[in-house]
Every structure is written in C-alpha cells, then in structure tokens.
Amino acid sequence: MLDESLLDTPEALAEADHRALLRGAAEAGARVRTAARHATEAGVHELKPDGRPRAILLAGPGAAATCVADLLGTLAGAACPVTRLAPAGVAPAAGALRWELPGWAGSVDLLIVTTPDGSEPGLSLLVEQAYRRGCTVVAVAPAGSPLADAAGAAHGLFVPMATAPYEQDEQPPVAASAPGVLWALLTPLLALLDRIALIAAPPEELERVADRLDHIAERCGPAVATYSNPAKTLAAELADSLPVIWTEGTSGGPAGRRFAAALAELAGRPSLVAELPEALAAHNALLAGPLAAGADPDDFFRDRVEEAPALHARVVLLRDRPIGGLTAAPAARELALSHDTPISELEPEAGDELVTLAELIAMTDFAAVYLALASGA
C-alpha cells in the first residue's frame, strides 16, 4: 500500500530514505559535473584516436552496466555497435561473476568496463584478457579499487567514478539502479565517445545536461507538493498498478527500459515495457484481459480497509518526439481508453537528444524513488 501522506511530508521522506536515493536523484546534475571533471583530469580530452573502433564491448555488473550499454548504443546508432558482455556465475556476488571476450575481439575493438564496486576479480581478469588480445581498455570505477590497478597494468585509461562521501560509507552498497550511480558511470563515457567522434557530447553539452538535471530536481524535489510535482504524481498514479511502459522516439526506448529496471530494483515493482507502435499489438490482449481496469466489476464493493486492491494495468507513455511529428501516441491513447485503462504521459521540454534523454531518465528516477519510499520498499 502506498502512503500518499508521506509524499507531502519532506521530513518523513528523509527519514524513510535509508539508501539516500532522493539525495542521489537531487545530486544528478552535480554528479555529471564532477564526473566530467574526472574525465578531463584522466586525460580523455587529450586522447589522439587513430579512428573509430570496429565495436565497443561493455562489461560490468547489474542494472547500471545494462543501462549504460543501452544508452551508449542508442546514442552511437549505426556508427558503431555497442555490445554488453553478460556475466556468467553461480551468484550475483562480486567474486562469483566472470566475463569473457567474444572470439572475434581484437586490436580494433574497444573494451569499456563500468562498475560501482571495482573489486570484481572477473573484471580484472577480463582486462588482462583484453590486453593480451590487443583491445583498447577504458575503465570507470571507484578510485583505489583493484580494477584501477588492473587497468593501469594493461596500459588502459582509468577514470575514477564520481562518488559521494555518504556512498563510500553505505552498508549495504548503493543499488546499481540508484540515480547517482548511472550518471557517475555514464558521463565519462559520453566524453570519451565524443572524443572518438561517435556522438556529440562536448563539455558544453554535458553542462546543458547537468543544468536540465538540476531543473528537474527543482521541479520534482521532496519539498514540492504532489499536485505540482510530476514525479510524485506519477508515483501516486502507479500505486497498486502494473506499469505498462510504452515508449516512442530514439531516447524513449532506453529511458523506458531504465524506468522498468529502477522500478524493480528500487521499488520492488514489476512492469512491462515496449516501444510504439509494436506495443499496441503486443499489449492489446493484456489490456483486454483480467488486468484491465474494468475487468473486476466486484472491486467497487471491496472492503478497502481489510482487502488488498486488485492489480490493474496503467499505461505510462514516454515520448521524446515533438507534437505534430510522426507519432503513434493518438492510437496509444485510444487503445488504453477503449479498455478503461488510465494513461500517464511524460514528454520532455525542447532540447538536444542527450538533454531530453536526461530529462526523461531524471523524471522517472524521481518517480521510482518516491514509489519506493512511500510503499516502504
């Protein structure tokens, strides 16, 4: 059950936030600036690349690495394939995970290693394997970690992860889907891909991203009441609902998949995600089935004190295209409403692709955090 009264009590939110999730979301802009400075100090802007790599291989544990690979692959597009190397192992523990390079990886490929931990022996072994194969190695991890030493031994580029003091003392470790972790790992890699001419992310663009993240933090902060706070509003709308996340546009896809991962890891909530227009066919039967809002006519007579509410679908439409362009949004609204399914919509303000992507991620990160805190996750 969602405690909606907690959403409008900043003191209660702070007390419930044992994992410092709200602080991480609010500090996203500052984390981008710090991470960009770390990239500069590590020498990213002084690199003299011989050309674009044939392929980018990205390795790292958990949702953070998955999201970083998804975002980089989306931004790079057809210019260079970005492939995440999934780990193998008997448990999701740092010492149990192992990564392997594909057989074709060699001197024309780039290996990127991202982790908020840095103590994984499997990643250090992967870096050694890449060095023997002739791959270029770039790593982003906490300073002083074993991975930093492995990257140095492989003559790779190491960028210290931008961390906050409260994260270093956090027990248990900060969740991989935490907002601060994503931007700390992603920002140096945006600067790197800009340097090798795969994407356009110069320092002034990263500053615009940080400014947009600051703007969202002001709009969605804990002191802003629910009725004027889009993130709190979305969290309240998703209470007792199964989020059916429909995305549209290049940036919408990775933002939706990031939202689904954050809902699962931070709030313990299942969700479904698909891209328009295929989502309309893929989820049509779902909206017409027992999860539809009007599927349980007896729900009106439910004892709302003793009985848990039935789980019903709610569509969340994430768009990054301007109104008036080629869009399936009208068809999405029509399908949802025809099945009595409520719909929430998020569309960023005008801006470059990287800036609008940052806004969608920030808005949904705040919503996932509020949902986690208000539901006691």
Side-chain angles (χ1 to χ4, degrees):
M1 293 292 292
L2 185 79
D3 183 0
E4 293 192 32
S5 64
L6 185 143
L7 290 177
D8 284 328
T9 311
E11 298 79 8
L13 282 171
E15 186 177 347
D17 191 10
H18 305 296
R19 294 175 288 175
L21 297 175
L22 268 179
R23 187 184 299 183
E27 293 175 349
R31 195 68 64 99
V32 167
R33 295 184 182 93
T34 302
R37 185 176 70 250
H38 285 182
T40 300
E41 294 170 353
V44 168
H45 299 294
E46 298 174 3
L47 295 175
K48 296 180 174 58
D50 295 329
R52 295 178 176 180
R54 176 181 60 179
I56 295 176
L57 304 171
L58 193 143
T66 301
C67 185
V68 168
D70 194 6
L71 291 168
L72 294 182
T74 298
L75 293 170
C80 180
V82 178
T83 303
R84 179 181 180 248
L85 302 179
V90 297
L97 297 175
R98 293 292 182 270
W99 288 262
E100 290 290 336
L101 288 175
W104 49 263
S107 59
V108 293
D109 302 310
L110 169 63
L111 172 67
I112 295 176
V113 180
T114 63
T115 172
D117 186 343
S119 66
E120 302 91 345
L123 289 178
S124 296
L125 293 173
L126 178 69
V127 168
E128 294 176 8
Q129 183 185 9
Y131 177 63
R132 292 194 299 271
R133 295 269 200 98
C135 297
T136 302
V137 175
V138 175
V140 182
S145 62
L147 183 60
D149 296 333
H155 303 287
L157 175 67
F158 177 77
V159 181
M161 176 181 168
T163 57
Y166 60 87
E167 288 180 343
Q168 297 169 5
D169 300 330
E170 190 79 10
Q171 295 294 333
V174 178
S177 291
V181 172
L182 171 64
W183 294 109
L185 296 177
L186 177 64
T187 304
L189 302 179
L190 294 176
L192 173 68
L193 265 61
D194 174 76
R195 186 60 182 170
I196 59 180
L198 284 179
I199 66 173
E204 55 270 20
E205 181 70 4
L206 295 181
E207 184 61 32
R208 283 192 286 270
V209 168
D211 291 342
R212 183 64 64 91
L213 292 173
D214 288 343
H215 175 63
I216 297 303
E218 293 175 0
R219 289 182 59 197
C220 300
V224 182
T226 299
Y227 67 86
S228 58
N229 187 321
K232 286 184 179 181
T233 299
L234 180 58
E237 291 172 345
L238 293 180
D240 307 318
S241 297
L242 173 67
V244 179
I245 304 167
W246 291 347
T247 68
E248 185 172 59
T250 304
S251 300
R257 291 185 286 273
R258 157 74 182 180
F259 188 28
L263 286 173
E265 185 170 359
L266 302 183
R269 297 297 185 97
S271 60
L272 300 172
V273 60
E275 297 189 26
L276 293 176
E278 286 93 345
L280 303 181
H283 292 160
N284 184 30
L286 182 148
L287 296 185
L291 290 174
D296 185 6
D298 296 329
D299 187 61
F300 180 80
F301 301 100
R302 172 178 57 84
D303 186 330
R304 301 182 185 278
V305 176
E306 299 295 335
E307 298 179 31
L311 187 68
H312 294 307
R314 184 183 188 96
V315 171
V316 180
L317 180 58
L318 301 182
R319 306 175 60 211
D320 72 338
R321 292 180 178 176
I323 297 175
L326 182 63
T327 174
R333 298 186 191 103
E334 181 179 354
L335 177 62
L337 296 178
S338 68
H339 293 301
D340 296 322
T341 301
I343 184 169
S344 304
E345 297 190 38
L346 291 179
E347 185 172 353
E349 299 176 9
D352 295 334
E353 181 181 14
L354 190 54
V355 174
T356 58
L357 176 58
E359 179 172 340
L360 284 175
I361 291 175
M363 196 84 73
T364 52
D365 275 352
F366 266 106
V369 169
Y370 284 128
L371 190 59
L373 298 182
S375 59

